Amino acid sequence: MPPSQQTLRARQIASVEKLLNLNHVPPRDVDDHHADAALASGLIPQATPILNSDGEPIWKVLVFDNFGRDVISSILRVNDLRSWGVTIHLNVNTTRHLIPDVPVIYLVEPTAENIRLITSDLERGLYSPAYINFLSSIPRPLLEDFASQIATAGVSEHIAQVYDQYLNFVVSEPDLFSLGMGNEAYWAMNTAKIADDMMDTMVDRIVTGLFSVVVTMGVIPIIRCPKQGAAEVIAAKLDRKLRDHILNSKDNLFSHPDNRPSSSNGQPAARPVLIIVDRNVDLIPMLSHSWTYQSLVQDVLKMHLNRITVEVPIDAENPSKGSSKKAYDLNANDFFWSKNASLPFPNVAEDIDAQLTKYREDAADVTRKTGASSLEDLQNDTSTSAQHLKDAITLLPELRERKAILDMHMNILSAVLQGIKDRQLDNYYQLEEAITKQNKTQMLDFLKATDKGNEPMDKFRLFIIWFLSVDQEIAKADMDRFEETFKELGVDIQPLTYIKHVRQITRMTMMSTAPTQQAQPSASGDLLRGFSAISSRLTDRFKDAGLGANFENIVSSVKTFLPANRDFTLTKITESLMDPHNASSSAIAKTESYLYFDPRSANARGTIPQASQARQAQSSGLPGALDGVGRGIQASFGQKRQGYNEAIVFTVGGGSMDEYGNLQEWAKRTSGGANAPSTAIKRRIVYGSTEIVNAEDFLTKELARLGSEST
């Protein structure tokens, strides 16, 4: 499969596997289409550790810093590391002991502290030899300092390799990434209180992260961004960084044949477009309630780096015994998550029933052929025929892994459904589908109602969405009543102070998110789309899994509907740049003035000031906002209206799982579907941000902080 068709996660996995193999190319045949297909679907092919001269595996120690840990843990499991010969993995900041004559792989950020720690390890002889991999390109002064420390310590003979890996981004879904910048990026880009050097550092980190993403994808994009603001500064600096790399590197990172994307007929593929926007273009996706599985898991269970914690009853038949916490990782090998993450919740409930039925049928088929009473009895049954026993043992690992995944998702579904019931998330989602139809009186009545879930923050999110969506101005007396209601609910209203300031900006950039069709009630009968149609069977499944007998009550209280097609503002912006011929005139009008950067163009205009020099709050009316830098190519009409099949969409200041799902749904909807002819357009969108943030953290850690500064 061509590199351009591989997911971002597949390409990052391949890069990590290469460094785990001591930067040798993984032992995979050039014509191994099965391996390519596995990578493209996010699966990890069978790994083979590099062998020494005697034909024996080379066992290694992996040492990473916190960011290196996040990069690896989001795509690989411990078993995957072991398959590449990694017997132990350690944090560079922890106390570590001597493991003589064992190679060590370092995967760390290029910082002064990390190179000091590496030098100290080598000086104490903890490991040898050392294969040092920096997550991003190490600056020249820091590299010279590293060389000086190594020479002074006299340990240069212990260093086998030093590589820049361009892996300083975290991939949590096939085409979803973040730069791991935490919950401060939005605050930093919009506050007037950040120091200039800190602002410059953050902008440079974003540019470096995007450069790494582009390198991993193996293609130089066209860059589009709105005028003024952080997006323009970042786009200009990234354009210059890519341009300088191409001009100054004879054998640049994009010249390797494996990195040249091609179309299905072997011809060079069209370049993608990189769309960089500021988060203030639309805040609604950061606060909205969603009805897809992945968004609900993030909202209800606070998923982070693909890890969630679920309360599991110790004894389902005896709730008085309490519950225990269990952590789960949703990784690339999870077939159920891969299939259902982006689907509406009723579809997921239907599929868990179908998958459990299929598992039971497959398990029964195996036991019937062997004569055993259950899978557990197969290992102890010596009377089974040799051939049937061989077939059964071959199938056992797959069946057990499938059962473990289904049991995990049954626990997750139970926790999510409990959250839906307690917080009445189905009601919030339906109300947000038609939020502009609500007037002030209806909204105030809803906020004061005592039967709208047990989480006041959900009401606050709903109100902010309404406030940002409606056209009419809210009188001060009415706003005072809303604020008083939230105070009575115990909600900190500081975020609202900043929202009032930012509303004027978002009203100029937001586009109507009204659904193209209304939410559809779930059909009964053969489709079995609703919970009620399968509640009895699903309840039995959860009882069998020991999840309690009250599941039917939870199911019966959840509304059975399917979501409408509704495009967020960022999706409309993406459509206007990727498919201008079919985009709405209002969307094209808003993106017509977007700057155009082509790093391959010979026209390099002007110089790039530091981000701190470009900060002029008066230009946008927002405190701390970044002014434009006057860069970009004077694009022709044809260049502006050029269509693209692939896009990288990046938001500065925080991303939303709901927004990622909305973009993927649009790409799927406009690609003709799975049964489309081979000549049909296949769209692909990679979505990323400084950090993927859930609604609660965005409200309490960023908007509240900005609000306190605005008072």
Side-chain angles (χ1 to χ4, degrees):
M1 179 172 284
S4 63
Q5 298 303 312
Q6 290 184 356
T7 65
L8 180 62
R9 178 167 63 187
R11 293 183 69 85
Q12 190 184 52
I13 288 173
S15 297
V16 171
E17 286 179 342
K18 183 178 178 181
L19 75 88
L20 293 177
N21 213 32
L22 306 183
N23 289 300
H24 288 264
V25 176
R28 185 177 301 129
D29 293 336
V30 176
D31 296 325
D32 189 351
H33 300 295
H34 296 291
D36 285 338
L39 274 175
S41 61
L43 299 177
I44 303 169
Q46 184 63 39
T48 304
I50 187 174
L51 305 179
N52 60 22
S53 57
D54 297 325
E56 298 175 349
I58 298 178
W59 304 108
K60 295 150 286 195
V61 175
L62 173 64
V63 177
F64 42 59
D65 58 6
N66 291 338
F67 196 26
R69 175 201 60 203
D70 292 346
V71 169
I72 289 183
S73 64
S74 65
I75 56 175
L76 297 179
R77 300 174 300 179
V78 173
N79 287 341
D80 300 316
L81 295 178
R82 287 177 182 164
S83 69
W84 285 100
V86 176
T87 57
I88 186 171
H89 53 277
L90 303 164
N91 194 301
V92 71
N93 296 301
T94 60
T95 301
R96 289 166 286 116
H97 302 288
L98 176 68
I99 308 178
D101 302 322
V102 174
V104 59
I105 300 173
Y106 287 97
L107 183 62
V108 297
E109 291 187 275
T111 65
E113 177 62 14
N114 281 339
I115 65 172
R116 185 191 66 80
L117 291 171
I118 292 172
T119 305
S120 175
D121 288 352
L122 299 179
E123 199 170 13
R124 290 184 292 153
L126 295 188
Y127 327 100
S128 181
Y131 297 81
I132 301 169
N133 299 272
F134 293 112
L135 285 164
S136 59
S137 179
I138 182 170
R140 182 80 182 186
L142 197 57
L143 182 61
E144 292 175 351
D145 185 32
F146 187 29
S148 175
Q149 292 185 35
I150 293 297
T152 302
V155 293
S156 58
E157 71 275 7
H158 296 301
I159 297 180
Q161 295 175 351
V162 179
Y163 270 80
D164 294 333
Q165 290 294 348
Y166 303 100
L167 290 171
N168 55 324
F169 58 97
V170 177
V171 180
S172 50
E173 290 292 319
D175 282 317
L176 171 67
F177 72 92
S178 74
L179 301 185
M181 296 179 66
N183 296 320
E184 288 192 346
Y186 182 78
W187 167 82
M189 293 298 167
N190 291 279
T191 182
K193 296 187 176 181
I194 188 172
D196 287 347
D197 58 345
M198 183 178 176
M199 172 63 73
D200 292 337
T201 299
M202 293 198 73
V203 168
D204 288 342
R205 182 173 175 182
I206 294 172
V207 171
T208 302
L210 286 174
F211 182 84
S212 295
V213 171
V214 170
V215 168
T216 301
M217 294 183 67
V219 62
I220 299 175
I222 301 294
I223 305 173
R224 303 295 305 272
C225 71
K227 292 181 178 180
Q228 300 186 344
E232 181 181 352
V233 177
I234 292 165
K237 298 192 78 169
L238 178 60
D239 172 63
R240 173 55 62 88
K241 188 177 181 71
L242 287 166
R243 188 188 304 275
D244 290 347
H245 175 75
I246 297 168
L247 293 176
N248 300 330
S249 303
K250 182 177 180 181
D251 184 20
N252 66 66
L253 294 164
F254 303 94
S255 62
H256 193 279
D258 290 344
N259 278 343
R260 294 174 185 165
S262 58
S263 61
S264 58
N265 60 10
Q267 298 299 316
R271 293 160 62 188
V273 58
L274 169 58
I275 304 168
I276 305 176
V277 298
D278 297 309
R279 182 65 271 171
N280 283 333
V281 74
D282 185 14
L283 293 180
I284 286 178
M286 302 298 294
L287 305 170
S288 61
H289 296 85
S290 180
W291 199 232
T292 62
Y293 191 26
Q294 61 189 3
S295 295
L296 283 167
V297 167
Q298 189 194 38
D299 190 358
V300 176
L301 302 180
K302 305 296 184 286
M303 179 172 63
H304 180 63
L305 295 175
N306 284 18
R307 169 159 283 215
I308 55 176
T309 302
V310 176
E311 293 275 353
V312 179
I314 297 175
D315 185 350
E317 300 301 326
N318 188 358
S320 61
K321 291 186 177 181
S323 60
S324 61
K325 291 185 177 180
K326 197 164 186 177
Y328 293 120
D329 291 309
L330 301 170
N331 54 55
N333 290 340
D334 188 335
F335 73 93
F336 189 85
W337 180 255
S338 298
K339 179 182 177 182
N340 291 284
S342 62
L343 297 182
F345 206 64
N347 299 55
V348 184
E350 176 189 358
D351 194 54
I352 192 71
D353 177 72
Q355 293 291 344
L356 285 166
T357 299
K358 186 176 185 300
Y359 165 78
R360 289 193 172 186
E361 291 173 351
D362 292 346
D365 185 56
V366 171
T367 55
R368 183 175 64 254
K369 289 179 179 179
T370 58
S373 58
S374 67
L375 292 179
E376 288 71 19
D377 293 337
L378 279 175
Q379 296 183 34
N380 304 320
D381 192 345
T382 59
S383 62
T384 307
S385 69
Q387 184 58 45
H388 283 162
L389 186 59
K390 179 181 178 181
D391 295 341
I393 292 177
T394 302
L395 291 171
L396 270 177
E398 187 274 334
L399 285 172
R400 284 183 171 171
E401 183 176 0
R402 201 196 325 169
K403 182 63 163 58
I405 289 174
L406 292 176
D407 285 346
M408 175 184 73
H409 280 282
M410 289 171 71
N411 282 323
I412 295 172
L413 278 165
S414 178
V416 171
L417 278 167
Q418 187 65 54
I420 292 173
K421 178 188 177 184
D422 292 343
R423 294 167 56 183
Q424 294 194 18
L425 297 179
D426 48 336
N427 287 324
Y428 283 96
Y429 175 76
Q430 276 197 303
L431 193 60
E432 288 170 16
E433 287 274 280
I435 192 67
T436 56
K437 297 180 180 179
Q438 309 299 312
N439 58 39
K440 289 180 289 187
T441 302
Q442 291 172 316
M443 184 56 57
L444 189 62
D445 290 343
F446 184 91
L447 299 178
K448 289 185 174 182
T450 58
D451 59 345
K452 302 301 180 185
N454 62 359
E455 179 52 72
M457 193 64 72
D458 288 321
K459 291 183 176 181
F460 195 38
R461 288 163 58 183
L462 177 73
F463 171 75
I464 293 176
I465 292 171
W466 175 78
F467 180 56
L468 292 174
S469 301
V470 295
D471 292 328
Q472 70 267 29
E473 294 295 332
I474 309 300
K476 185 179 184 305
D478 293 326
M479 184 59 72
D480 289 343
R481 281 194 288 271
F482 283 121
E483 291 181 2
E484 186 61 34
T485 300
F486 286 121
K487 289 179 181 178
E488 293 173 359
L489 292 171
V491 174
D492 179 8
I493 63 171
Q494 278 191 331
L496 199 54
T497 306
Y498 182 74
I499 289 293
K500 293 175 185 176
H501 289 289
V502 82
R503 182 174 185 247
Q504 299 303 318
I505 302 301
T506 60
R507 288 181 67 182
M508 292 187 291
T509 57
M510 279 176 54
M511 302 179 208
S512 173
T513 57
T516 56
Q517 63 183 44
Q518 293 301 314
Q520 298 297 313
S522 298
S524 58
D526 293 337
L527 292 179
L528 297 177
R529 294 290 185 182
F531 288 135
S532 58
I534 60 171
S535 61
S536 59
R537 285 193 292 160
L538 200 56
T539 301
D540 292 337
R541 305 297 191 201
F542 278 73
K543 286 181 181 178
D544 292 342
L547 298 182
N550 66 335
F551 179 72
E552 189 170 4
N553 294 331
I554 300 176
V555 170
S556 62
S557 68
V558 176
K559 291 184 178 179
T560 58
F561 63 87
L562 295 177
N565 289 331
R566 180 184 61 164
D567 291 337
F568 286 131
T569 293
L570 186 56
T571 303
K572 290 181 177 293
I573 290 173
T574 303
E575 180 183 35
S576 70
L577 295 174
M578 287 186 73
D579 188 19
H581 297 295
N582 294 314
S584 65
S585 57
S586 60
I588 291 177
K590 289 184 182 293
T591 59
E592 188 71 17
S593 62
Y594 271 36
L595 297 174
Y596 184 102
F597 296 88
D598 183 358
R600 285 198 180 277
S601 170
N603 299 322
R605 297 167 180 260
T607 58
I608 305 173
Q610 291 293 309
S612 54
Q613 295 175 323
R615 295 173 68 193
Q616 295 181 6
Q618 293 83 359
S619 64
S620 65
L622 283 177
L626 294 172
D627 195 11
V629 295
R631 285 273 300 169
I633 296 173
Q634 293 297 323
S636 65
F637 179 81
Q639 287 175 318
K640 288 183 177 181
R641 295 298 172 89
Q642 175 185 350
Y644 303 88
N645 293 340
E646 293 190 27
I648 307 166
V649 181
F650 185 82
T651 57
V652 182
S656 156
M657 189 69 77
D658 204 11
E659 201 165 48
Y660 167 68
N662 195 250
L663 284 164
Q664 298 304 316
E665 193 278 330
W666 175 84
K668 181 179 179 181
R669 189 172 74 235
T670 58
S671 293
N675 298 323
S678 58
T679 56
I681 294 175
K682 299 294 184 183
R683 301 194 194 282
R684 175 193 172 199
I685 297 176
V686 176
Y687 174 77
S689 185
T690 47
E691 185 69 76
I692 305 301
V693 188
N694 65 50
E696 183 178 345
D697 287 344
F698 189 68
L699 270 174
T700 59
K701 296 180 180 179
E702 303 213 58
L703 292 180
R705 189 175 180 182
L706 288 166
S708 65
E709 296 174 0
S710 302
T711 54

